[in-house]
Amino acid sequence: MYVKRAEQREWMSAGYAGAERAILHINRVEGRTSLVRIKAGARGPRHTHGADEHAYVISGKVDIGGQVLGP
């Protein structure tokens, strides 16, 4: 079992203004699992992923490819 407590998270830039990520797990075959926090009004570039992407919105709303997601 792998345990990483909240206070051990290292937040870094997610690659665009207003977004940060904390990597939870890296898998060389399937990519990584990250927590991402995005400030209201931030816009990320259009992009694709080589593996599946899962989004869990805890608060606020996010538009991903024309689909507005919320809690």
Side-chain angles (χ1 to χ4, degrees):
M1 177 170 68
Y2 177 77
V3 176
K4 189 164 193 177
R5 299 182 183 281
E7 64 272 10
Q8 294 173 305
R9 289 188 197 122
E10 297 177 29
W11 291 93
M12 64 193 81
S13 172
Y16 57 96
E20 295 178 302
R21 96 171 68 240
I23 296 174
L24 300 178
H25 177 75
I26 296 177
N27 180 311
R28 289 186 177 100
V29 175
E30 298 174 4
R32 65 181 171 234
T33 302
S34 302
L35 295 176
V36 180
R37 56 186 180 191
I38 305 168
K39 292 183 180 180
R43 296 180 54 96
R46 254 186 213 272
H47 63 281
T48 60
H49 295 269
D52 292 341
E53 180 177 13
H54 301 256
Y56 298 92
V57 180
I58 296 170
S59 67
K61 293 181 183 176
V62 63
D63 182 328
I64 300 177
Q67 296 289 317
V68 178
L69 307 175

